[in-house]
Amino acid sequence: MYRYDSLDKEMLTDRSNEFRHQAARRLSGEITEDQFKPLRLMNGLYLQLHAYMLRIAIPFGTLNTKQLRRLAWVAKTYDKGYGHFTTRTNLQLHWIKLRDAPDILDALAEVDLHAIQTSGNCIRNITADPYAGATADEIDDPRVWVEAMRQWSTNHPEYSYLPRKFKIAVTAAEKDRAAIRSYDVGLHLRRTRDGELSFEVMVGGGQGRTPYLAKTIREHLPAGRLLSYLDAVLRVYNRQSRRDNIHKQRIKILVATLGVEEFTRQVEAEWALIEGADIDLPDTELARIRAAFMPCAFDPQPASSPVFEAAKADPEFARFTRRNVHPHKVPGYAIVDISLKVPGETPGDASSEQMDLVADLADAYSQGEVRINYTQNLVLPHVKLADVPAIYAALKPAGLATANMDLITDIIACPGLDYCTLANARAIPVAQSIAKRFADPERAEQIGDLKINISGCINACGHHHLGAIGILGVDKKGEEYYQLSLGGSGGDDAELAKILGPAMSGPAIPDAIETLVETYIVHRKDGERFLDTVRRTGLQPFKEAVYASAD
Amino acid sequence: MPQLIKIEGERASTVDDLFTFVADEDAVPAAGDVIVTLARLSSEGDALLSSGRRVGVRLQPSDAVEDLAYDLGALAVIELAFAKFRDGRPYSSARVLRGRLNYQGELRAVGDVLREQALHMVRCGFNAFEPADGSTAEQWLAAAHRYRHVYQRAADDREPVFVERAQIASGLGHNRPDEVGV
Ligand code: SF4
């Protein structure tokens, strides 16, 4: 996998020295909190309800085991011994002291990790398909392009003080596993009929209080011209966007205001004037990056494994293989998901011990590589089928073998009012109460694919607009209430969820979910997922059931 | 007299600012170098530019630098105002002025101009600064040189990391080749 070279490493050292200097100036009172805020934000440091929160970037959602062990160590040494994986494939530590932050950044920089641009009004950490380099349906490794964009966007002199944050995601497989249409820029890599790599460029997606799905502004962008085209998009945004109302400064608002045709016209006009040769990476650099993402050679394996098949005699292991094990591009190999969604626990949390264990397993069985999925789960991307039983056996006692990928208990939730200053309501206890209600794995599997997303406020960090069931925390006269919506998805069938009806109290939520599930089971036709049924029948039957039983 | 930090290559110095800024509601003084707004430049520009003194213009973040295209050769200085340090529009204005309009003269950052933004300002083509935080020329220069490497080409002449890599790979660079790898 990609490793930083001496130049990248020197940049990280310079960055953490710069931050140490800035933190010292803040601690001595030389600069004000107002002046310090954007500086600490560009290094991922937020001031939350109880302490500072540090958001560490996991570029391309890919970690080597040295990095994962270092994260475990940092969490143990400077925090409470656990970390929270987020929907943007970052790791958040919620109990940090400002005076420790420079040492933490140094410790991270030693293993090529950082918190650069994980917050602030700049180009954020860029995400990609968590199965990149392993899945059979991809036409290129999207991380090649993420790395190209990481370089281009790091410390960008022109785009570090944008109107608002700016998020980019890339998919290079037919199936979109990165929810690209919910991003400021979503990129879908395909091959043209004559075999050239080309991006479909989508702009103006986003969640928050005015959710939009990104619109296509270019069907075919020659892949090698990606950076200069993005430069044109960013320049139009930086120059044209409003700056007078924080709620109207995302690019989605600019695109909606100008209209997609006019926005596209401006971008194309800007692009025509931009010196592409100054910005686009030379082929040699792209080739260097691509070579770095080549996996090690795969030992040839028989396409099926007797050990693997025999282990399925254990029904729990069999369920694990149905939910958490996915086809790999190389026969005899698999992609293994590790769920951080144990019913009753905080979604996305992993303890330092769990991180160490996953690192050990990745060293033993997965070419030393671990992935972070935006669904807040971990992935071992390159596993021999024959090794899956051993991995399962090791994960189980550590509470990491829950077989619930994409099921009702695989809930995405933001930190909510337990940590976040912006929250209206708690998200974690709601997730826990739903997951406990559906903890019976057999029942969860019978219900089938059902994504629940919970956000503690309209900022939508829990992607509630993209949940088959979305749950949004709202404030009702000082009380925590929750608004349900149905029918959302961030994948290929992307659509925003629609509000079901009046908000309800937290304790009423598990019953309401139960009612939604029962209604689905009554109405579902063969093979339909919850989402399909909702989209076919519309909200009415669900609405009637939930609000009738609430009366 | 107010002072300015000027940066030329690796050197920084503090100099007196010989220009007077004339707001729209004020009258232009009878003599002396002046900086005016874009509005005044469009209405009184011809007279001012032929009055035998040096004339500059101050643009607000929402002003389009393209509007200066015809006057660029006659202007002694262009100031781009940072309304707030968080308002990043002047960075784009500077890039367009330098890169597209090929402006070669003095480009000043005025307003909410802070040392922590020195690197970005210098890279976007600013070469004169009126810091709002009392930074000295030395502090400004140090902040602008905190990074040994940059990842993009900009208005300065620094080569990006991908060029450095190619030079190292071909044996021309200053880093030891054995340090470099993927
Ligand atoms: S959605 Fe709201 S409550 Fe949740 S993390 Fe984001 S800002 Fe905080």
Side-chain angles (χ1 to χ4, degrees), chain A residues 28 66 129 143 167 190 265 269 315 363 407 457 529:
Chain A
S28 74
K66 209 167 140 191
D129 186 342
R143 295 171 301 171
K167 301 178 183 179
R190 298 201 179 83
R265 191 196 63 74
D363 273 336
L407 295 180
C457 81
R529 302 167 302 165

Side-chain angles (χ1 to χ4, degrees), chain A residues 415-447:
Chain A
L417 194 56
D418 290 298
Y419 298 98
C420 177
T421 43
L422 303 170
N424 290 321
R426 287 168 297 166
I428 294 166
V430 175
Q432 290 168 333
S433 65
I434 299 169
K436 272 199 226 144
R437 176 68 68 94
F438 293 93
D440 174 4
E442 211 168 300
R443 180 161 179 232
E445 205 181 5
Q446 278 162 6
I447 297 166

